[in-house]
Amino acid sequence: MTKKRNTQTKPFSMRLTFEERANLESRAGKKSLAEFVRSKLFNKDEIENRKEKYKGRTECAKILGLLGRSEIAKNLNELSRAAKSGSLIVSPDTQVMLDQSIADIHIMRNALLNELGVQSGRKQ
């Protein structure tokens, strides 16, 4: 004779003060109290958070890839060469905008790498 696994749920009750229950209800938000307590006891929220973090990291990796494939670095390099050779006249305002663009790109790149947990290795 084989043993059958008991899959029937059994109730569990717990006495709470008014304040404790109010706190739980507030923290549960739209979830039922049972669902909220189960998620805390069995780390369901942690699993969901890991899924969300992984999804965010995937999106960051895509953005970083697009940034790497873009022509931004090449175009900035061409502008720099033209400015150095004198074929591009750069006013002080234009120079400030170019410098700011480079700084902004570094900030975006470093933020994406940081979100992915990767050390840059490059100095700005």
Side-chain angles (χ1 to χ4, degrees):
M1 180 176 200
T2 61
K3 259 188 171 179
K4 288 186 179 181
R5 187 173 179 195
N6 188 358
T7 57
Q8 185 179 22
T9 61
K10 296 181 181 179
F12 175 83
S13 65
M14 173 188 273
R15 292 185 185 271
L16 300 171
T17 65
F18 177 80
E19 291 81 14
E20 289 170 335
R21 183 170 179 113
N23 181 298
L24 277 177
E25 288 173 343
S26 171
R27 290 173 54 202
K30 293 181 181 179
K31 292 181 182 179
S32 69
L33 279 183
E35 183 182 2
F36 176 73
V37 171
R38 265 192 216 100
S39 72
K40 292 300 177 187
L41 286 173
F42 302 113
N43 294 321
K44 289 182 181 178
D45 286 340
E46 186 178 315
I47 292 167
E48 289 301 315
N49 288 341
R50 274 190 255 146
K51 286 180 184 177
E52 286 299 314
K53 188 174 183 179
Y54 178 78
K55 182 180 176 185
R57 291 176 66 120
T58 302
E59 293 300 314
C60 285
K62 286 179 188 176
I63 294 167
L64 191 59
L66 291 171
L67 185 60
R69 284 194 305 270
S70 74
E71 299 288 318
I72 293 173
K74 179 182 165 191
N75 292 339
L76 285 173
N77 190 31
E78 288 175 8
L79 286 171
S80 175
R81 285 184 189 178
K84 287 177 183 175
S85 71
S87 61
L88 174 67
I89 300 171
V90 180
S91 70
D93 289 341
T94 304
Q95 184 64 48
V96 167
M97 287 190 289
L98 287 171
D99 291 341
Q100 186 60 53
S101 296
I102 291 168
D104 290 345
I105 292 167
H106 279 291
I107 290 168
M108 288 186 285
R109 180 183 174 277
N110 290 337
L112 290 167
L113 287 172
N114 185 47
E115 181 65 27
L116 293 170
V118 177
Q119 291 298 321
S120 168
R122 288 188 192 172
K123 292 185 179 181
Q124 292 186 19

